[in-house]
PDB file of all heavy atoms in Angstrom:
ATOM      1  N   SER B  43     122.019 108.925  96.980  1.00  0.00           N
ATOM      2  CA  SER B  43     123.328 109.023  96.141  1.00  0.00           C
ATOM      3  C   SER B  43     123.024 110.000  94.968  1.00  0.00           C
ATOM      4  O   SER B  43     123.928 110.686  94.571  1.00  0.00           O
ATOM      5  CB  SER B  43     123.719 107.660  95.755  1.00  0.00           C
ATOM      6  OG  SER B  43     122.888 107.189  94.785  1.00  0.00           O
ATOM      7  N   GLU B  44     121.852 109.979  94.456  1.00  0.00           N
ATOM      8  CA  GLU B  44     121.503 110.984  93.337  1.00  0.00           C
ATOM      9  C   GLU B  44     121.567 112.471  93.945  1.00  0.00           C
ATOM     10  O   GLU B  44     122.069 113.274  93.185  1.00  0.00           O
ATOM     11  CB  GLU B  44     120.088 110.644  92.777  1.00  0.00           C
ATOM     12  CG  GLU B  44     120.008 109.336  92.046  1.00  0.00           C
ATOM     13  CD  GLU B  44     120.806 109.382  90.774  1.00  0.00           C
ATOM     14  OE1 GLU B  44     120.563 110.219  89.955  1.00  0.00           O
ATOM     15  OE2 GLU B  44     121.670 108.448  90.602  1.00  0.00           O
ATOM     16  N   VAL B  45     120.988 112.631  95.045  1.00  0.00           N
ATOM     17  CA  VAL B  45     121.034 113.923  95.611  1.00  0.00           C
ATOM     18  C   VAL B  45     122.535 114.409  95.840  1.00  0.00           C
ATOM     19  O   VAL B  45     122.918 115.494  95.493  1.00  0.00           O
ATOM     20  CB  VAL B  45     120.261 114.042  97.002  1.00  0.00           C
ATOM     21  CG1 VAL B  45     120.494 115.412  97.618  1.00  0.00           C
ATOM     22  CG2 VAL B  45     118.779 113.746  96.802  1.00  0.00           C
ATOM     23  N   ALA B  46     123.248 113.459  96.386  1.00  0.00           N
ATOM     24  CA  ALA B  46     124.752 113.817  96.621  1.00  0.00           C
ATOM     25  C   ALA B  46     125.399 114.102  95.383  1.00  0.00           C
ATOM     26  O   ALA B  46     126.282 114.897  95.287  1.00  0.00           O
ATOM     27  CB  ALA B  46     125.399 112.650  97.432  1.00  0.00           C
ATOM     28  N   ALA B  47     125.143 113.367  94.258  1.00  0.00           N
ATOM     29  CA  ALA B  47     125.729 113.505  92.993  1.00  0.00           C
ATOM     30  C   ALA B  47     125.257 114.788  92.262  1.00  0.00           C
ATOM     31  O   ALA B  47     125.706 115.177  91.228  1.00  0.00           O
ATOM     32  CB  ALA B  47     125.507 112.341  92.135  1.00  0.00           C
ATOM     33  N   GLY B  48     124.223 115.348  92.847  1.00  0.00           N
ATOM     34  CA  GLY B  48     123.627 116.634  92.316  1.00  0.00           C
ATOM     35  C   GLY B  48     122.865 116.353  91.036  1.00  0.00           C
ATOM     36  O   GLY B  48     122.765 117.337  90.186  1.00  0.00           O
ATOM     37  N   THR B  49     122.236 115.224  90.849  1.00  0.00           N
ATOM     38  CA  THR B  49     121.536 114.994  89.556  1.00  0.00           C
ATOM     39  C   THR B  49     120.233 115.905  89.551  1.00  0.00           C
ATOM     40  O   THR B  49     119.718 116.176  88.544  1.00  0.00           O
ATOM     41  CB  THR B  49     120.997 113.534  89.536  1.00  0.00           C
ATOM     42  OG1 THR B  49     121.436 112.748  90.656  1.00  0.00           O
ATOM     43  CG2 THR B  49     121.459 112.904  88.217  1.00  0.00           C
ATOM     44  N   PHE B  50     119.752 116.101  90.789  1.00  0.00           N
ATOM     45  CA  PHE B  50     118.597 116.945  90.770  1.00  0.00           C
ATOM     46  C   PHE B  50     118.512 117.799  92.085  1.00  0.00           C
ATOM     47  O   PHE B  50     119.277 117.524  92.994  1.00  0.00           O
ATOM     48  CB  PHE B  50     117.337 116.111  90.671  1.00  0.00           C
ATOM     49  CG  PHE B  50     116.986 115.321  91.895  1.00  0.00           C
ATOM     50  CD1 PHE B  50     116.268 115.885  92.953  1.00  0.00           C
ATOM     51  CD2 PHE B  50     117.355 113.971  91.935  1.00  0.00           C
ATOM     52  CE1 PHE B  50     115.904 115.032  94.062  1.00  0.00           C
ATOM     53  CE2 PHE B  50     117.064 113.099  93.010  1.00  0.00           C
ATOM     54  CZ  PHE B  50     116.443 113.694  94.085  1.00  0.00           C
ATOM     55  N   GLU B  51     117.849 118.897  91.960  1.00  0.00           N
ATOM     56  CA  GLU B  51     117.842 119.871  93.119  1.00  0.00           C
ATOM     57  C   GLU B  51     116.637 119.507  93.911  1.00  0.00           C
ATOM     58  O   GLU B  51     115.571 119.224  93.423  1.00  0.00           O
ATOM     59  CB  GLU B  51     117.709 121.294  92.588  1.00  0.00           C
ATOM     60  CG  GLU B  51     117.959 122.232  93.599  1.00  0.00           C
ATOM     61  CD  GLU B  51     117.556 123.657  93.014  1.00  0.00           C
ATOM     62  OE1 GLU B  51     117.240 123.750  91.787  1.00  0.00           O
ATOM     63  OE2 GLU B  51     117.592 124.638  93.865  1.00  0.00           O
ATOM     64  N   VAL B  52     116.796 119.417  95.338  1.00  0.00           N
ATOM     65  CA  VAL B  52     115.780 119.095  96.135  1.00  0.00           C
ATOM     66  C   VAL B  52     114.952 120.437  96.383  1.00  0.00           C
ATOM     67  O   VAL B  52     115.386 121.343  97.018  1.00  0.00           O
ATOM     68  CB  VAL B  52     116.210 118.626  97.551  1.00  0.00           C
ATOM     69  CG1 VAL B  52     115.072 118.312  98.481  1.00  0.00           C
ATOM     70  CG2 VAL B  52     117.121 117.446  97.401  1.00  0.00           C
ATOM     71  N   THR B  53     113.708 120.437  95.751  1.00  0.00           N
ATOM     72  CA  THR B  53     112.911 121.580  95.844  1.00  0.00           C
ATOM     73  C   THR B  53     111.497 120.977  96.195  1.00  0.00           C
ATOM     74  O   THR B  53     111.263 119.929  96.515  1.00  0.00           O
ATOM     75  CB  THR B  53     112.930 122.416  94.538  1.00  0.00           C
ATOM     76  OG1 THR B  53     111.639 122.780  94.274  1.00  0.00           O
ATOM     77  CG2 THR B  53     113.410 121.669  93.392  1.00  0.00           C
ATOM     78  N   SER B  54     110.552 121.873  96.035  1.00  0.00           N
ATOM     79  CA  SER B  54     109.165 121.368  96.452  1.00  0.00           C
ATOM     80  C   SER B  54     108.358 121.141  95.197  1.00  0.00           C
ATOM     81  O   SER B  54     108.698 121.722  94.079  1.00  0.00           O
ATOM     82  CB  SER B  54     108.460 122.401  97.369  1.00  0.00           C
ATOM     83  OG  SER B  54     108.338 121.666  98.574  1.00  0.00           O
ATOM     84  N   LYS B  55     107.357 120.332  95.203  1.00  0.00           N
ATOM     85  CA  LYS B  55     106.375 120.095  94.205  1.00  0.00           C
ATOM     86  C   LYS B  55     107.062 119.583  92.902  1.00  0.00           C
ATOM     87  O   LYS B  55     106.578 119.846  91.751  1.00  0.00           O
ATOM     88  CB  LYS B  55     105.578 121.366  93.791  1.00  0.00           C
ATOM     89  CG  LYS B  55     105.210 122.255  94.987  1.00  0.00           C
ATOM     90  CD  LYS B  55     104.715 123.625  94.461  1.00  0.00           C
ATOM     91  CE  LYS B  55     105.813 124.631  94.131  1.00  0.00           C
ATOM     92  NZ  LYS B  55     106.736 124.400  93.054  1.00  0.00           N
ATOM     93  N   ALA B  56     108.138 118.920  93.027  1.00  0.00           N
ATOM     94  CA  ALA B  56     108.878 118.490  91.778  1.00  0.00           C
ATOM     95  C   ALA B  56     108.320 117.188  91.267  1.00  0.00           C
ATOM     96  O   ALA B  56     108.672 116.808  90.112  1.00  0.00           O
ATOM     97  CB  ALA B  56     110.273 118.335  92.154  1.00  0.00           C
ATOM     98  N   ILE B  57     107.531 116.561  92.076  1.00  0.00           N
ATOM     99  CA  ILE B  57     107.034 115.204  91.731  1.00  0.00           C
ATOM    100  C   ILE B  57     106.490 115.119  90.325  1.00  0.00           C
ATOM    101  O   ILE B  57     106.739 114.234  89.461  1.00  0.00           O
ATOM    102  CB  ILE B  57     106.001 114.717  92.756  1.00  0.00           C
ATOM    103  CG1 ILE B  57     106.674 114.709  94.054  1.00  0.00           C
ATOM    104  CG2 ILE B  57     105.331 113.538  92.405  1.00  0.00           C
ATOM    105  CD1 ILE B  57     105.605 114.528  95.237  1.00  0.00           C
ATOM    106  N   VAL B  58     105.646 116.073  90.008  1.00  0.00           N
ATOM    107  CA  VAL B  58     104.965 116.155  88.705  1.00  0.00           C
ATOM    108  C   VAL B  58     105.746 117.182  87.798  1.00  0.00           C
ATOM    109  O   VAL B  58     105.890 116.961  86.647  1.00  0.00           O
ATOM    110  CB  VAL B  58     103.541 116.543  88.810  1.00  0.00           C
ATOM    111  CG1 VAL B  58     102.852 116.445  87.421  1.00  0.00           C
ATOM    112  CG2 VAL B  58     102.812 115.638  89.849  1.00  0.00           C
ATOM    113  N   ALA B  59     106.066 118.219  88.439  1.00  0.00           N
ATOM    114  CA  ALA B  59     106.529 119.512  87.598  1.00  0.00           C
ATOM    115  C   ALA B  59     107.958 119.132  87.060  1.00  0.00           C
ATOM    116  O   ALA B  59     108.316 119.694  85.956  1.00  0.00           O
ATOM    117  CB  ALA B  59     106.512 120.717  88.496  1.00  0.00           C
ATOM    118  N   GLU B  60     108.811 118.468  87.790  1.00  0.00           N
ATOM    119  CA  GLU B  60     110.186 118.262  87.258  1.00  0.00           C
ATOM    120  C   GLU B  60     110.273 117.056  86.277  1.00  0.00           C
ATOM    121  O   GLU B  60     110.007 115.932  86.807  1.00  0.00           O
ATOM    122  CB  GLU B  60     111.188 118.162  88.407  1.00  0.00           C
ATOM    123  CG  GLU B  60     111.388 119.407  89.180  1.00  0.00           C
ATOM    124  CD  GLU B  60     111.822 120.595  88.445  1.00  0.00           C
ATOM    125  OE1 GLU B  60     112.817 120.393  87.532  1.00  0.00           O
ATOM    126  OE2 GLU B  60     111.352 121.715  88.523  1.00  0.00           O
ATOM    127  N   VAL B  61     110.588 117.287  85.047  1.00  0.00           N
ATOM    128  CA  VAL B  61     110.537 116.327  84.134  1.00  0.00           C
ATOM    129  C   VAL B  61     111.980 115.905  83.756  1.00  0.00           C
ATOM    130  O   VAL B  61     112.801 116.806  83.282  1.00  0.00           O
ATOM    131  CB  VAL B  61     109.819 116.662  82.882  1.00  0.00           C
ATOM    132  CG1 VAL B  61     109.880 115.703  81.793  1.00  0.00           C
ATOM    133  CG2 VAL B  61     108.332 117.006  83.303  1.00  0.00           C
ATOM    134  N   SER B  62     112.400 114.638  84.103  1.00  0.00           N
ATOM    135  CA  SER B  62     113.783 114.263  83.745  1.00  0.00           C
ATOM    136  C   SER B  62     113.744 112.873  83.205  1.00  0.00           C
ATOM    137  O   SER B  62     113.553 111.868  83.961  1.00  0.00           O
ATOM    138  CB  SER B  62     114.653 114.321  85.042  1.00  0.00           C
ATOM    139  OG  SER B  62     115.849 113.551  84.836  1.00  0.00           O
ATOM    140  N   LYS B  63     113.862 112.900  81.885  1.00  0.00           N
ATOM    141  CA  LYS B  63     113.903 111.549  81.247  1.00  0.00           C
ATOM    142  C   LYS B  63     114.997 110.632  81.809  1.00  0.00           C
ATOM    143  O   LYS B  63     114.791 109.448  82.045  1.00  0.00           O
ATOM    144  CB  LYS B  63     114.113 111.688  79.665  1.00  0.00           C
ATOM    145  CG  LYS B  63     113.074 110.977  78.892  1.00  0.00           C
ATOM    146  CD  LYS B  63     113.232 111.159  77.423  1.00  0.00           C
ATOM    147  CE  LYS B  63     112.315 112.188  76.801  1.00  0.00           C
ATOM    148  NZ  LYS B  63     112.376 112.361  75.379  1.00  0.00           N
ATOM    149  N   SER B  64     116.130 111.245  82.089  1.00  0.00           N
ATOM    150  CA  SER B  64     117.225 110.423  82.485  1.00  0.00           C
ATOM    151  C   SER B  64     117.010 109.857  83.923  1.00  0.00           C
ATOM    152  O   SER B  64     117.346 108.685  84.152  1.00  0.00           O
ATOM    153  CB  SER B  64     118.560 111.191  82.383  1.00  0.00           C
ATOM    154  OG  SER B  64     118.553 112.198  83.339  1.00  0.00           O
ATOM    155  N   PHE B  65     116.426 110.644  84.690  1.00  0.00           N
ATOM    156  CA  PHE B  65     116.071 110.200  86.108  1.00  0.00           C
ATOM    157  C   PHE B  65     115.017 109.100  85.970  1.00  0.00           C
ATOM    158  O   PHE B  65     115.160 107.958  86.662  1.00  0.00           O
ATOM    159  CB  PHE B  65     115.572 111.236  86.978  1.00  0.00           C
ATOM    160  CG  PHE B  65     115.529 110.839  88.447  1.00  0.00           C
ATOM    161  CD1 PHE B  65     116.525 110.845  89.295  1.00  0.00           C
ATOM    162  CD2 PHE B  65     114.285 110.288  88.906  1.00  0.00           C
ATOM    163  CE1 PHE B  65     116.397 110.373  90.615  1.00  0.00           C
ATOM    164  CE2 PHE B  65     114.169 109.873  90.221  1.00  0.00           C
ATOM    165  CZ  PHE B  65     115.151 109.912  91.031  1.00  0.00           C
ATOM    166  N   SER B  66     114.004 109.298  85.247  1.00  0.00           N
ATOM    167  CA  SER B  66     112.967 108.279  85.026  1.00  0.00           C
ATOM    168  C   SER B  66     113.605 106.936  84.432  1.00  0.00           C
ATOM    169  O   SER B  66     113.248 105.843  84.876  1.00  0.00           O
ATOM    170  CB  SER B  66     111.914 108.738  83.984  1.00  0.00           C
ATOM    171  OG  SER B  66     111.087 109.737  84.701  1.00  0.00           O
ATOM    172  N   ARG B  67     114.605 107.094  83.653  1.00  0.00           N
ATOM    173  CA  ARG B  67     115.218 105.858  83.042  1.00  0.00           C
ATOM    174  C   ARG B  67     115.926 105.193  84.167  1.00  0.00           C
ATOM    175  O   ARG B  67     116.004 103.864  84.220  1.00  0.00           O
ATOM    176  CB  ARG B  67     116.058 106.166  81.885  1.00  0.00           C
ATOM    177  CG  ARG B  67     115.204 106.391  80.702  1.00  0.00           C
ATOM    178  CD  ARG B  67     115.952 106.730  79.337  1.00  0.00           C
ATOM    179  NE  ARG B  67     114.955 107.162  78.423  1.00  0.00           N
ATOM    180  CZ  ARG B  67     115.124 107.912  77.382  1.00  0.00           C
ATOM    181  NH1 ARG B  67     116.380 108.312  77.074  1.00  0.00           N
ATOM    182  NH2 ARG B  67     114.197 108.226  76.516  1.00  0.00           N
ATOM    183  N   LYS B  68     116.682 105.883  85.022  1.00  0.00           N
ATOM    184  CA  LYS B  68     117.377 105.186  86.122  1.00  0.00           C
ATOM    185  C   LYS B  68     116.309 104.392  86.981  1.00  0.00           C
ATOM    186  O   LYS B  68     116.598 103.294  87.420  1.00  0.00           O
ATOM    187  CB  LYS B  68     118.034 106.162  86.979  1.00  0.00           C
ATOM    188  CG  LYS B  68     119.356 106.689  86.333  1.00  0.00           C
ATOM    189  CD  LYS B  68     120.162 107.699  87.400  1.00  0.00           C
ATOM    190  CE  LYS B  68     120.985 108.604  86.522  1.00  0.00           C
ATOM    191  NZ  LYS B  68     121.454 109.697  87.333  1.00  0.00           N
ATOM    192  N   MET B  69     115.257 104.984  87.159  1.00  0.00           N
ATOM    193  CA  MET B  69     114.192 104.249  88.000  1.00  0.00           C
ATOM    194  C   MET B  69     113.721 103.093  87.187  1.00  0.00           C
ATOM    195  O   MET B  69     113.517 101.968  87.806  1.00  0.00           O
ATOM    196  CB  MET B  69     113.019 105.181  88.300  1.00  0.00           C
ATOM    197  CG  MET B  69     113.250 106.209  89.416  1.00  0.00           C
ATOM    198  SD  MET B  69     111.838 107.154  89.716  1.00  0.00           S
ATOM    199  CE  MET B  69     110.665 106.007  90.256  1.00  0.00           C
ATOM    200  N   ALA B  70     113.595 103.198  85.882  1.00  0.00           N
ATOM    201  CA  ALA B  70     113.014 102.168  85.013  1.00  0.00           C
ATOM    202  C   ALA B  70     114.059 100.968  85.130  1.00  0.00           C
ATOM    203  O   ALA B  70     113.635  99.789  85.238  1.00  0.00           O
ATOM    204  CB  ALA B  70     112.828 102.610  83.683  1.00  0.00           C
ATOM    205  N   GLN B  71     115.335 101.309  85.080  1.00  0.00           N
ATOM    206  CA  GLN B  71     116.374 100.199  85.075  1.00  0.00           C
ATOM    207  C   GLN B  71     116.186  99.361  86.348  1.00  0.00           C
ATOM    208  O   GLN B  71     116.593  98.190  86.402  1.00  0.00           O
ATOM    209  CB  GLN B  71     117.746 100.801  85.048  1.00  0.00           C
ATOM    210  CG  GLN B  71     118.082 101.117  83.661  1.00  0.00           C
ATOM    211  CD  GLN B  71     119.299 102.206  83.607  1.00  0.00           C
ATOM    212  OE1 GLN B  71     119.927 102.500  84.666  1.00  0.00           O
ATOM    213  NE2 GLN B  71     119.424 102.896  82.456  1.00  0.00           N
ATOM    214  N   ARG B  72     115.791 100.018  87.387  1.00  0.00           N
ATOM    215  CA  ARG B  72     115.679  99.302  88.736  1.00  0.00           C
ATOM    216  C   ARG B  72     114.272  98.603  88.899  1.00  0.00           C
ATOM    217  O   ARG B  72     114.025  98.164  89.991  1.00  0.00           O
ATOM    218  CB  ARG B  72     115.997 100.344  89.827  1.00  0.00           C
ATOM    219  CG  ARG B  72     117.410 100.700  89.950  1.00  0.00           C
ATOM    220  CD  ARG B  72     117.714 102.011  90.726  1.00  0.00           C
ATOM    221  NE  ARG B  72     119.083 102.166  90.832  1.00  0.00           N
ATOM    222  CZ  ARG B  72     119.894 102.744  89.806  1.00  0.00           C
ATOM    223  NH1 ARG B  72     119.258 103.063  88.684  1.00  0.00           N
ATOM    224  NH2 ARG B  72     121.108 102.945  89.994  1.00  0.00           N
ATOM    225  N   GLY B  73     113.481  98.796  87.836  1.00  0.00           N
ATOM    226  CA  GLY B  73     112.093  98.091  87.978  1.00  0.00           C
ATOM    227  C   GLY B  73     111.179  98.945  88.789  1.00  0.00           C
ATOM    228  O   GLY B  73     110.163  98.374  89.214  1.00  0.00           O
ATOM    229  N   TRP B  74     111.516 100.234  88.952  1.00  0.00           N
ATOM    230  CA  TRP B  74     110.609 100.985  89.911  1.00  0.00           C
ATOM    231  C   TRP B  74     109.465 101.725  89.199  1.00  0.00           C
ATOM    232  O   TRP B  74     108.612 102.240  89.900  1.00  0.00           O
ATOM    233  CB  TRP B  74     111.467 101.917  90.754  1.00  0.00           C
ATOM    234  CG  TRP B  74     112.321 101.255  91.736  1.00  0.00           C
ATOM    235  CD1 TRP B  74     112.217  99.968  92.100  1.00  0.00           C
ATOM    236  CD2 TRP B  74     113.516 101.704  92.328  1.00  0.00           C
ATOM    237  NE1 TRP B  74     113.215  99.613  93.046  1.00  0.00           N
ATOM    238  CE2 TRP B  74     114.063 100.609  93.209  1.00  0.00           C
ATOM    239  CE3 TRP B  74     114.253 102.983  92.285  1.00  0.00           C
ATOM    240  CZ2 TRP B  74     115.142 100.848  93.914  1.00  0.00           C
ATOM    241  CZ3 TRP B  74     115.420 103.098  93.021  1.00  0.00           C
ATOM    242  CH2 TRP B  74     115.926 102.042  93.796  1.00  0.00           C
ATOM    243  N   ILE B  75     109.499 101.788  87.846  1.00  0.00           N
ATOM    244  CA  ILE B  75     108.375 102.296  87.210  1.00  0.00           C
ATOM    245  C   ILE B  75     107.510 101.038  86.958  1.00  0.00           C
ATOM    246  O   ILE B  75     107.983 100.025  86.454  1.00  0.00           O
ATOM    247  CB  ILE B  75     108.780 103.040  85.868  1.00  0.00           C
ATOM    248  CG1 ILE B  75     109.696 104.194  86.148  1.00  0.00           C
ATOM    249  CG2 ILE B  75     107.489 103.372  85.034  1.00  0.00           C
ATOM    250  CD1 ILE B  75     110.010 104.949  84.971  1.00  0.00           C
ATOM    251  N   GLY B  76     106.200 101.150  87.210  1.00  0.00           N
ATOM    252  CA  GLY B  76     105.437  99.980  87.098  1.00  0.00           C
ATOM    253  C   GLY B  76     105.604  98.900  88.027  1.00  0.00           C
ATOM    254  O   GLY B  76     105.460  97.731  87.772  1.00  0.00           O
ATOM    255  N   ILE B  77     106.207  99.257  89.189  1.00  0.00           N
ATOM    256  CA  ILE B  77     106.574  98.278  90.218  1.00  0.00           C
ATOM    257  C   ILE B  77     105.373  97.476  90.654  1.00  0.00           C
ATOM    258  O   ILE B  77     105.458  96.281  90.872  1.00  0.00           O
ATOM    259  CB  ILE B  77     107.164  98.977  91.550  1.00  0.00           C
ATOM    260  CG1 ILE B  77     107.760  97.906  92.400  1.00  0.00           C
ATOM    261  CG2 ILE B  77     106.168  99.838  92.171  1.00  0.00           C
ATOM    262  CD1 ILE B  77     108.552  98.660  93.533  1.00  0.00           C
ATOM    263  N   ASN B  78     104.153  98.051  90.613  1.00  0.00           N
ATOM    264  CA  ASN B  78     102.972  97.362  90.925  1.00  0.00           C
ATOM    265  C   ASN B  78     102.133  96.800  89.707  1.00  0.00           C
ATOM    266  O   ASN B  78     101.008  96.405  89.809  1.00  0.00           O
ATOM    267  CB  ASN B  78     102.034  98.197  91.745  1.00  0.00           C
ATOM    268  CG  ASN B  78     101.608  99.534  91.054  1.00  0.00           C
ATOM    269  OD1 ASN B  78     102.334  99.961  90.152  1.00  0.00           O
ATOM    270  ND2 ASN B  78     100.417 100.005  91.343  1.00  0.00           N
ATOM    271  N   TRP B  79     102.800  96.953  88.519  1.00  0.00           N
ATOM    272  CA  TRP B  79     102.147  96.470  87.357  1.00  0.00           C
ATOM    273  C   TRP B  79     102.356  94.915  87.328  1.00  0.00           C
ATOM    274  O   TRP B  79     103.381  94.453  87.698  1.00  0.00           O
ATOM    275  CB  TRP B  79     102.751  97.093  86.061  1.00  0.00           C
ATOM    276  CG  TRP B  79     102.308  98.447  85.874  1.00  0.00           C
ATOM    277  CD1 TRP B  79     101.734  99.379  86.851  1.00  0.00           C
ATOM    278  CD2 TRP B  79     102.409  99.250  84.663  1.00  0.00           C
ATOM    279  NE1 TRP B  79     101.588 100.598  86.317  1.00  0.00           N
ATOM    280  CE2 TRP B  79     102.013 100.554  84.979  1.00  0.00           C
ATOM    281  CE3 TRP B  79     102.977  98.970  83.427  1.00  0.00           C
ATOM    282  CZ2 TRP B  79     102.039 101.618  84.007  1.00  0.00           C
ATOM    283  CZ3 TRP B  79     103.020  99.981  82.418  1.00  0.00           C
ATOM    284  CH2 TRP B  79     102.573 101.314  82.747  1.00  0.00           C
ATOM    285  N   PRO B  80     101.506  94.212  86.617  1.00  0.00           N
ATOM    286  CA  PRO B  80     101.695  92.830  86.413  1.00  0.00           C
ATOM    287  C   PRO B  80     102.933  92.559  85.464  1.00  0.00           C
ATOM    288  O   PRO B  80     103.289  93.352  84.753  1.00  0.00           O
ATOM    289  CB  PRO B  80     100.483  92.299  85.663  1.00  0.00           C
ATOM    290  CG  PRO B  80      99.400  93.429  85.859  1.00  0.00           C
ATOM    291  CD  PRO B  80     100.185  94.706  86.013  1.00  0.00           C
ATOM    292  N   LYS B  81     103.574  91.364  85.747  1.00  0.00           N
ATOM    293  CA  LYS B  81     104.855  91.121  85.047  1.00  0.00           C
ATOM    294  C   LYS B  81     104.671  91.028  83.533  1.00  0.00           C
ATOM    295  O   LYS B  81     105.465  91.475  82.753  1.00  0.00           O
ATOM    296  CB  LYS B  81     105.415  89.747  85.478  1.00  0.00           C
ATOM    297  CG  LYS B  81     105.866  89.852  86.950  1.00  0.00           C
ATOM    298  CD  LYS B  81     107.003  88.892  87.215  1.00  0.00           C
ATOM    299  CE  LYS B  81     107.779  89.257  88.582  1.00  0.00           C
ATOM    300  NZ  LYS B  81     107.807  88.144  89.501  1.00  0.00           N
ATOM    301  N   GLU B  82     103.454  90.553  83.099  1.00  0.00           N
ATOM    302  CA  GLU B  82     103.184  90.469  81.710  1.00  0.00           C
ATOM    303  C   GLU B  82     103.249  91.848  80.922  1.00  0.00           C
ATOM    304  O   GLU B  82     103.468  91.898  79.732  1.00  0.00           O
ATOM    305  CB  GLU B  82     101.883  89.774  81.375  1.00  0.00           C
ATOM    306  CG  GLU B  82     100.721  90.516  82.021  1.00  0.00           C
ATOM    307  CD  GLU B  82      99.375  89.918  81.610  1.00  0.00           C
ATOM    308  OE1 GLU B  82      99.113  89.711  80.375  1.00  0.00           O
ATOM    309  OE2 GLU B  82      98.508  89.731  82.562  1.00  0.00           O
TER     310      GLU B  82
END
Side-chain angles (χ1 to χ4, degrees):
Chain B
S43 71
E44 291 292 305
V45 172
T49 359
F50 66 90
E51 192 190 353
V52 181
T53 137
S54 246
K55 323 166 279 65
I57 296 167
V58 186
E60 291 302 317
V61 174
S62 161
K63 231 181 257 187
S64 66
F65 188 86
S66 288
R67 283 184 189 155
K68 283 185 202 166
M69 281 181 66
Q71 279 157 16
R72 288 163 176 78
W74 293 339
I75 298 180
I77 189 171
N78 61 331
W79 289 15
K81 290 206 168 124
E82 57 172 314

